[in-house]
Amino acid sequence: MKENEPLHISVICPVLNEEQYLDAVLSFISHALPTSKECFIIDGGSTDNTKDIFQSWQSQMPNLYWLDNPHKFVPFALNLAIPKCKGSFIVRLDAHSEYASDYFEQILNTFKETNADIVGGPTRTKGKTAFQKAVAQAICNPFAIGNSKVHDIDYRGYTDSVTFGAWRRDVFEAAGLFDETLLRNQDDEFHYRAKSLGFSVYQSPDIKLYYYPRGSAKGLFRQYYQYGLFKPAVLRKVKSEIKLRHLVPSLFVIYLLLLAIFVQLSLLFLLPLLFYLSFIVLQSLKMEGGGEVKLSGLVTFPCIHIGYGIGFIMGTVNKNPTL
């Protein structure tokens, strides 16, 4: 960056043991336009070569900074970095994602064209293994996640929340920082809160990032259990954002728990389960890829629905969830 050149973008990226991903992320940040940007890597206590990779880039990136996050989790990392940011716009990156070469430029264009306060792109997905490819297709399927616009790669317009997000710096001055009690879903809560204060959130399909989903059924179930666990805390804070899609998985779990009792009354109570299983088979057969991808699809939908549903019930009962 040239001396006295205005700083347009501050990039913040929480990391933890990212030796497989950090080099690619820093390479992207270094080469992407605009050149007038700074970057904060916020580390949650990595024990691998993450810091060594960071240090190898410092000579090439004079505006690259390291912050230690003793609390490990993402909301603490974001809150450490944001007050230090000098850019007019703050962009959060995730180390496990890939970004189009014009990612920052499209963010700035969207801010300029829409005058929105918060912008971002939809969640595009990629997969390396058959299971990842199945998950990547499942989480973009309304049957899995409802009518959430963040998974609609063609949607352009105002919305409730965006993937990761880019913010005008003054949004934080009015709305505050991220809620550190929310170890998951903190971005949703912040965007809901900002929206309730009159700030606008805009999604543009021109802002392209590619997310690699969980690679195992256990990891996928755990991820959506955690999403469900912290969602009630988010909705208690911003009640106007309660949607039917937030409630359906927990109602399905309650149905499954009571099914043994209901079936004794009438076999008709099996019909919803049979319909659900039939729909899973149909959606899995539609997945692009070979037989292994389609078989993996049979597992992904129940992992998402049941994991989220159990988590939501637990989060409703426990008003102070933790991991």
Side-chain angles (χ1 to χ4, degrees):
M1 187 175 71
K2 297 178 182 178
E3 190 175 356
N4 299 322
E5 182 181 359
L7 187 64
H8 291 305
I9 288 180
S10 294
V11 180
I12 57 178
C13 183
V15 299
L16 177 63
N17 293 328
E18 306 292 0
E19 63 180 7
Q20 295 183 44
Y21 303 95
L22 186 58
D23 192 66
V25 171
L26 291 177
S27 178
F28 158 70
I29 296 170
S30 175
H31 293 99
L33 296 175
T35 56
S36 55
K37 57 183 177 288
E38 62 181 355
C39 176
F40 294 91
I41 301 299
I42 315 102
D43 181 68
S46 294
T47 55
D48 62 359
N49 293 319
T50 294
K51 192 164 189 177
D52 294 333
I53 294 169
F54 167 87
Q55 290 173 336
S56 71
W57 278 93
Q58 278 190 302
S59 61
Q60 303 175 54
M61 300 174 64
N63 293 301
L64 177 64
Y65 307 101
W66 177 274
L67 296 175
D68 287 307
N69 173 22
H71 296 290
K72 183 179 177 179
F73 292 101
V74 168
F76 297 98
L78 301 178
N79 289 351
L80 274 172
I82 289 167
K84 299 180 184 300
C85 291
K86 298 176 182 177
S88 302
F89 304 96
I90 300 174
V91 182
R92 179 194 164 184
L93 297 186
D94 180 83
H96 287 248
S97 299
E98 293 179 6
Y99 304 87
S101 59
D102 64 350
Y103 186 73
F104 296 136
E105 293 174 282
Q106 290 297 344
I107 284 174
L108 292 176
N109 287 341
T110 304
F111 274 123
K112 182 178 180 180
E113 292 171 1
T114 66
N115 204 35
D117 303 293
I118 302 166
V119 307
T123 304
R124 288 175 165 84
T125 52
K126 282 187 175 182
K128 296 180 179 178
T129 67
F131 189 84
Q132 274 190 321
K133 291 176 182 178
V135 177
Q137 294 177 70
I139 63 177
C140 294
N141 187 321
F143 177 64
I145 47 80
N147 62 344
S148 174
K149 291 184 176 67
V150 77
H151 293 286
D152 183 347
I153 63 172
D154 297 317
Y155 177 75
R156 183 189 302 274
Y158 293 96
T159 186
D160 301 327
S161 188
V162 288
T163 305
F164 305 135
W167 313 278
R168 295 183 187 274
R169 191 174 57 181
D170 57 8
V171 170
F172 296 102
E173 296 172 6
L177 296 174
F178 288 87
D179 186 340
E180 293 176 350
T181 67
L182 298 175
L183 304 184
R184 295 289 184 268
N185 295 337
Q186 66 280 338
D187 49 350
D188 285 345
E189 186 278 330
F190 180 81
H191 293 151
Y192 295 167
R193 181 176 7 128
K195 185 182 172 186
S196 73
L197 294 173
F199 293 104
S200 56
V201 184
Y202 192 92
Q203 178 172 301
S204 170
D206 299 328
I207 301 172
K208 296 179 181 179
L209 62 89
Y210 303 87
Y211 166 74
Y212 284 94
R214 297 297 189 274
S216 69
K218 180 180 179 180
L220 182 65
F221 182 92
R222 185 170 181 267
Q223 178 186 23
Y224 276 84
Y225 169 80
Q226 291 176 356
Y227 287 163
L229 181 65
F230 284 92
K231 197 65 170 187
V234 172
L235 299 177
R236 278 192 288 268
K237 293 188 65 177
V238 191
K239 294 181 177 62
S240 62
E241 294 299 329
I242 297 175
K243 303 289 193 303
L244 181 62
R245 69 173 183 267
H246 300 141
L247 307 177
V248 170
S250 56
L251 295 176
F252 179 61
V253 168
I254 293 171
Y255 160 76
L256 291 177
L257 292 173
L258 297 176
L259 189 58
I261 298 173
F262 290 158
V263 164
Q264 295 180 39
L265 300 176
S266 172
L267 290 177
L268 290 175
F269 285 107
L270 280 173
L271 287 179
L273 178 60
L274 294 175
F275 176 79
Y276 176 78
L277 294 175
S278 299
F279 215 76
I280 285 177
V281 172
L282 178 63
Q283 296 302 314
S284 298
L285 288 174
K286 289 182 178 179
M287 287 184 171
E288 296 179 359
E292 194 174 352
V293 173
K294 299 181 191 302
L295 285 174
S296 296
L298 298 174
V299 179
T300 59
F301 293 105
C303 281
I304 292 169
H305 294 149
I306 297 174
Y308 188 98
I310 293 174
F312 195 94
I313 293 169
M314 297 299 293
T316 302
V317 173
N318 181 6
K319 294 186 178 181
N320 297 295
T322 188
L323 297 178

